[in-house]
């Protein structure tokens, strides 16, 4: 089982965080503080996606495999089992609130700018980043994970405990 070092972001994860914060600043939005808990969840999920491929034609990239110390789940486009994803921070860390994820799959060399540009072209993902639509409540925590062509960013409405 992979255990993330929640104290450390990789070079690409740091760059992705910086790019997201610059993008938010361009929209006159506040900086979101990094969360050790959400970094842990993001890093674990990026690695699970790359190594175990829990996503397929039915289950999207918010899905989790059955190859770890977590409850597996198949996240479908109808959001019928959304809580299986939202509850991962509670399940894997001491962050006792829901978390919300954007995920991107690309080539093994997926860069931070490619991930952000991908999310910016998707209204749903962009809304999460810029607090648009149903995501109009302020984000108080963020975690970044990138691993072998996958990028995940987790958002929370509460700071780390």
């Amino acid at each position: 089982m992979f255990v993330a070092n929640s104290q450390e972001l990789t070079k690409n994860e740091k760059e992705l965080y910086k790019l997201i914060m610059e993008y938010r600043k361009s929209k006159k939005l506040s900086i979101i503080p990094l969360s050790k808990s959400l970094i842990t969840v993001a890093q674990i999920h990026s690695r699970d996606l790359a190594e175990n491929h829990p996503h397929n034609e039915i289950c999207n990239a918010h899905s989790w495999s059955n190859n770890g110390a977590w409850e597996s789940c198949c996240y479908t486009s109808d959001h019928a089992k959304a809580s299986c994803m939202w509850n991962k921070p509670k399940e894997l860390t001491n962050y006792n609130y829901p978390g919300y994820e954007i995920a991107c799959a690309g080539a093994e060399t997926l860069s931070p700018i490619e991930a952000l540009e991908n999310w910016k072209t998707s209204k749903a993902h962009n809304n999460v980043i810029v607090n648009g639509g149903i995501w109009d409540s302020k984000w108080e925590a963020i975690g970044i994970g990138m691993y072998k062509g996958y990028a995940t960013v987790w958002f929370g409405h509460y700071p780390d405990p």
Side-chain angles (χ1 to χ4, degrees), residues 38-108:
L38 296 182
I39 290 168
T40 297
V41 177
Q43 289 177 339
I44 290 172
H45 196 216
S46 292
R47 189 166 209 142
D48 182 47
L49 288 167
E51 293 180 349
N52 300 309
H53 307 286
H55 52 91
N56 54 43
E57 53 282 337
I58 298 169
C59 307
N60 68 27
H62 300 302
S63 299
W64 288 71
S65 77
N66 60 359
N67 294 330
W70 52 76
E71 184 179 327
S72 66
C73 73
C74 173
Y75 195 106
T76 55
S77 60
D78 64 1
H79 311 288
K81 296 182 182 177
S83 63
C84 79
M85 184 259 287
W86 297 343
N87 289 332
K88 286 299 179 255
K90 291 183 207 176
E91 189 178 338
L92 297 170
T93 71
N94 63 353
Y95 190 84
N96 290 315
Y97 311 101
Y100 307 97
E101 178 188 51
I102 57 175
C104 179
E108 188 159 328

Side-chain angles (χ1 to χ4, degrees), residues 6 19 27 31 48 57 69 90 100 103-104 106 117 134 141-142 145:
S6 63
L19 290 169
K27 304 284 187 187
I31 298 297
D48 182 47
E57 53 282 337
K90 291 183 207 176
Y100 307 97
C104 179
E117 291 304 318
I134 64 168
I142 191 171

Side-chain angles (χ1 to χ4, degrees), residues 23-40:
Y23 179 52
R24 286 178 55 82
K25 185 177 179 182
S26 77
K27 304 284 187 187
K28 305 206 181 322
L29 296 167
S30 63
I31 298 297
I32 308 169
L34 283 165
S35 157
K36 291 177 183 177
S37 298
L38 296 182
I39 290 168
T40 297

